[in-house]
């Protein structure tokens, strides 16, 4: 079914900037989360998982309906750990009950990314909450215990190119993996809350050793305490992906530009935005008088 955006009644870009500011301030206040990594990375992951159920073949799933709010999707094993991001956003929703859940989950990721010095991501409002019956079945998100062919095939469902796929996975510069959530653990050292191209720099420059985790997964570990999952590592094993890995490791500006475009496409996949829908480029807190 076609998803047509309808901006929340009477709301202006300034209203959405207020939501952005409330999320950004809460990220600063709740800085102790996950050993002081903070909520930035898990908010970005929630925005991706809310959009990552999209299937272009029948236009089902995706960010529009905000169905992550329903237990079936919240409890998808692929979403383990995202409950923390959901709880973080609950008081924001109480403060701005007019916002749709689809807009809230995608705006949460855009806010977190920009406040972690990532690129400015133009964002459009108008996702409309769909009923529980619209919740997609579990299992639409990717499984990290796989190689390049799986990754390439998985993202065909979104209509992404090889370049867009490599750019998007660069989000793994943020945060970390948690044994209790996914059966992967690490990095132990520089789990970061600043967006950069270092995922690609590490992937190319570190010495990697393939090991088994206590959950029975494979992961690649480096002496500096970094880790890669098989689907991360696949990006350097595949010659086409490797071309983009090198491009992004060499030039952070090019990575930021390509990530911004691919992330916007991810968050808006399957949605028709009518003429006149505002495109908002949010100001960061630093850019506003405090
Ligand atoms: C092949 C595709 C992908 C796979 C298999 C994958 C898998 C995973 C797994 C298993 C984790 C660890 C979760 C945990 O243990 O807490 C993770 C974390 C993360 N993923 Fe991905 N991911 C993929 C693509 C993406 C994309 C496209 C984005 C965003 C654009 C993204 C953003 C993140 C972030 C920010 C984290 C860190 C979360 C935290 O620190 O709590 N991932 N991913
Ligand atoms: N920081 C990460 C590194 Br370094 C490598 N892989 C990841 C996969 C998911 C989330 C974070 C990371």
């Amino acid at each position: 079914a076609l998803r047509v955006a309808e901006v929340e009644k009477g709301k202006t870009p300034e209203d959405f900037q207020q939501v952005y500011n409330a999320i950004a301030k809460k990220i600063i206040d709740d800085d102790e989360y996950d050993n002081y990594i903070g909520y930035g990375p898990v908010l970005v992951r929630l925005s991706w998982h809310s959009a990552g159920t999209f299937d272009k073949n029948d236009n089902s799933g995706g960010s529009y309906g905000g169905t992550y709010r329903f237990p079936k999707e919240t409890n998808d094993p692929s979403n383990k750990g995202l409950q923390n991001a959901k709880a973080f956003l609950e008081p924001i929703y109480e403060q701005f009950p007019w916002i749709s859940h689809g807009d809230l989950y995608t705006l949460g990721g855009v806010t977190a990314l920009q406040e972690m010095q990532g690129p400015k991501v133009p964002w459009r409002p108008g996702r409309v909450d769909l009923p529980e019956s619209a919740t997609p079945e579990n299992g639409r998100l990717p499984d990290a215990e796989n190689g390049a062919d799986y990754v390439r095939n998985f993202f065909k469902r979104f209509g992404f190119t090889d370049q867009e796929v490599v750019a998007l996975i660069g989000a793994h510069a943020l945060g970390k993996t948690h044994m209790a959530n996914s059966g992967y653990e690490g990095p132990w050292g520089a789990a970061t809350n600043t967006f950069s191209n270092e995922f690609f720099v590490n992937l190319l420059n570190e010495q990697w050793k393939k090991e088994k985790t206590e959950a029975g997964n494979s992961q690649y570990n480096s002496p500096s305490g970094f880790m890669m999952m098989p689907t991360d590592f696949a990006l350097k094993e595949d010659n086409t992906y490797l071309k983009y890995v090198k491009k992004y490791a060499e030039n952070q500006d090019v990575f930021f530009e390509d990530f911004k475009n691919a992330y916007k496409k991810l968050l808006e996949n399957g949605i028709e935005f009518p003429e006149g829908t505002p495109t908002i480029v949010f100001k960061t807190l630093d850019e506003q008088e405090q």
Side-chain angles (χ1 to χ4, degrees), residues 28-289:
I28 292 169
D29 290 347
D30 299 4
D31 62 342
E32 77 300 326
Y33 174 71
D34 204 6
N35 296 322
Y36 288 90
I37 295 173
Y39 280 94
V42 74
L43 285 167
V44 170
R45 187 167 196 237
L46 174 55
S47 71
W48 138 239
H49 274 209
S50 74
T53 57
F54 181 66
D55 184 340
K56 75 178 172 61
N57 297 303
D58 60 0
N59 214 39
S60 62
S63 69
Y64 183 86
T67 54
Y68 169 79
R69 71 189 187 279
F70 295 118
K72 182 168 73 169
E73 194 168 331
T74 305
N75 300 329
D76 181 338
S78 302
N79 287 335
K80 199 126 186 292
L82 294 182
Q83 291 88 346
N84 298 312
K86 185 179 187 184
F88 175 98
L89 289 172
E90 248 129 42
I92 303 293
Y93 184 71
E94 276 152 37
Q95 190 181 354
F96 304 95
W98 50 263
I99 196 167
S100 68
H101 286 85
D103 282 355
L104 180 62
Y105 298 145
T106 54
L107 179 51
V110 169
T111 305
L113 188 77
Q114 294 194 182
E115 294 298 306
M116 289 189 284
Q117 286 87 56
K120 291 283 186 97
V121 183
W123 179 85
R124 290 187 283 185
R127 294 165 189 78
V128 178
D129 283 3
L130 292 177
E132 192 152 14
S133 57
T135 309
E137 73 289 352
N138 286 188
R140 290 191 178 204
L141 291 155
D143 169 11
E145 279 297 286
N146 285 286
D149 294 343
Y150 169 90
V151 172
R152 184 168 282 113
N153 187 53
F154 176 84
F155 281 101
K156 284 199 168 65
R157 209 180 72 203
F158 300 79
F160 285 146
T161 63
D162 285 348
Q163 174 261 312
E164 287 170 327
V165 168
V166 176
L168 280 171
I169 295 175
H172 284 171
L174 297 171
K176 67 184 290 287
T177 54
H178 309 80
M179 186 53 68
N181 293 347
S182 61
Y184 300 95
E185 185 55 54
W188 309 270
T192 60
N193 51 22
T194 304
F195 197 67
S196 74
N197 67 341
E198 76 167 73
F199 169 83
F200 301 106
V201 174
N202 294 343
L203 186 56
L204 287 181
N205 297 348
E206 295 282 306
Q207 298 306 313
W208 298 105
K209 190 159 155 258
K210 188 174 185 181
E211 297 180 305
K212 279 279 186 190
T213 74
E214 63 186 62
N217 287 336
S218 300
Q219 75 176 51
Y220 296 81
N221 297 314
S222 84
S224 347
F226 296 128
M227 58 78 71
M228 293 284 167
M229 304 179 294
T231 46
D232 296 319
F233 202 77
L235 301 185
K236 77 182 274 184
E237 295 174 312
D238 177 277
N239 285 333
T240 307
Y241 285 153
L242 177 60
K243 196 174 67 179
Y244 298 111
V245 170
K246 286 177 176 168
K247 189 167 103 172
Y248 297 148
E250 276 149 26
N251 189 323
Q252 178 163 287
D253 293 345
V254 169
F255 167 54
F256 271 36
E257 179 64 18
D258 287 357
F259 182 86
K260 172 204 44 155
N261 292 325
Y263 184 54
K264 179 174 188 297
K265 183 171 172 180
L266 172 72
L267 299 185
E268 298 190 341
N269 229 340
I271 302 171
E272 185 200 320
F273 292 89
E275 276 296 297
T277 307
T279 293
I280 310 169
V281 178
F282 293 104
K283 290 184 172 32
T284 60
L285 285 189
D286 290 349
E287 287 170 331
Q288 300 169 66
E289 276 58 70

